[in-house]
Amino acid sequence: MGYRTVRDTGAVPSTPQPVTPDPPEAIARPLLTQSWLDLTFVHWAVDPADVAGLLPPGAVPDTLDGVTYVGLVAFRMHRVGWLRLPGVPYLGNFPETNVRLYSVDDHGRRGVVFLSLDASRLVPVLVGRLGFGMPYVWSRMRVRHVDDRTVTYTASRRWPGPRGAGTRLTVRRGEAVAEPTELEHFLTARWGMHGVFFGRPMYLPNAHPRWPLYRAELLECEEDLVTAAGLPAPAGEPVSVLYSPGVPARFGRPARPAGIPTP
């Protein structure tokens, strides 16, 4: 996906809130807790017009210098827990790979939109799909450390498909990022997600410590999850490849489009 002439999407852009490396507010009473470990972020530039129709109502593509991005993010989910209860040791631990877009709403809230979330545990997939309408997919997955700097992520879809679609990513961690670039902040400092929950557009805020980031070299990238999500196949090398050992995260109560939290 290269840089192309941006077509009119028919949406009026909002004035986005600033991109900040720390969450705009703490979440004292979390709805959901979890840790994200061994993350690799791979991003390609994409025309906002190509993704506008894939976003939920009330959200438009978030852009940097007129360009938006599609991300392929592979990691290990660790200790998913509800409210303030301890995280679940088995069902709450699993590899996950998601395809995500970048969004902003009429209130300027920046976030991400998940087009797909591949996970290796069937129960969390069913809960996510049936309970919350999230596009979870049950997949065979593995995260393997080749050495202390190299990680390989594999995934192959089981249900609901397309069966066999998946990824094989191998990255080598490089130097630590002392000060992220404007693009690296834009792609990683995301403090919520836009989606449709129980049939209504919602915004789900999250908070976590500042990302420990490393630049990374992409040694291997075989994937068809981006096209399975309804986007053109990536053309050329990614514009950004980052690695992080991870952070603990908290999700707050979803807010309606008017910005009012649900009871």
Side-chain angles (χ1 to χ4, degrees):
M1 293 178 188
Y3 290 78
R4 287 172 285 175
T5 301
V6 177
R7 301 186 298 276
D8 183 8
T9 64
V12 178
S14 59
T15 301
Q17 296 174 347
V19 176
T20 59
D22 300 301
E25 59 184 51
I27 297 176
R29 300 172 58 191
L31 176 67
L32 187 66
T33 61
Q34 55 195 240
S35 290
W36 306 322
L37 306 178
D38 291 324
L39 296 96
T40 287
F41 303 85
V42 182
H43 284 92
W44 294 269
V46 61
D47 187 336
D50 286 342
V51 305
L54 300 174
L55 302 184
V60 297
D62 195 5
T63 62
L64 180 64
D65 297 327
V67 178
T68 193
Y69 297 86
V70 56
L72 186 67
V73 184
F75 62 102
R76 290 191 299 114
M77 187 77 81
H78 181 67
R79 288 276 188 172
V80 177
W82 291 99
L83 304 174
R84 297 188 180 184
L85 298 174
V88 181
Y90 175 74
L91 292 176
N93 297 341
F94 49 87
E96 182 172 319
T97 297
N98 61 60
V99 176
R100 72 187 200 181
L101 302 175
Y102 294 85
S103 51
V104 64
D105 62 24
D106 291 339
H107 301 274
R109 296 174 299 199
R110 293 184 132 119
V112 299
V113 172
F114 293 109
L115 299 185
S116 63
L117 303 103
D118 287 66
S120 63
R121 293 271 189 263
L122 179 58
V123 170
V125 167
L126 293 175
V127 170
R129 290 186 69 89
L130 303 178
F132 298 96
M134 298 283 289
Y136 267 98
V137 180
W138 186 33
S139 298
R140 295 182 180 87
M141 306 185 76
R142 186 180 182 190
V143 178
R144 182 172 65 92
H145 285 264
V146 179
D147 53 44
D148 62 352
R149 295 178 57 209
T150 308
V151 188
T152 294
Y153 309 82
T154 57
S156 179
R157 285 187 173 173
R158 289 171 155 173
W159 176 86
R163 192 172 179 85
T167 59
R168 182 176 178 85
L169 299 176
T170 300
V171 297
R172 179 182 294 128
R173 173 174 51 84
E175 75 279 1
V177 177
E179 179 57 41
T181 65
E182 184 180 15
L183 175 60
E184 289 165 347
H185 270 308
F186 180 88
L187 297 175
T188 60
R190 293 281 147 174
W191 306 115
M193 61 168 287
H194 292 101
V196 177
F197 303 93
F198 305 108
R200 302 181 65 178
M202 295 285 181
Y203 178 80
L204 189 67
N206 72 74
H208 58 73
R210 189 174 295 200
W211 284 109
L213 293 173
Y214 294 78
R215 298 198 173 94
E217 179 185 2
L218 187 60
L219 302 180
E220 182 180 22
C221 181
E222 298 177 8
E223 69 84 26
D224 50 11
L225 297 186
V226 171
T227 55
L231 291 167
E237 295 297 315
V239 297
S240 175
V241 182
L242 296 169
Y243 172 83
S244 176
V247 292
R250 292 178 161 215
F251 285 87
R253 291 182 297 166
R256 300 188 182 97
I260 303 171
T262 57

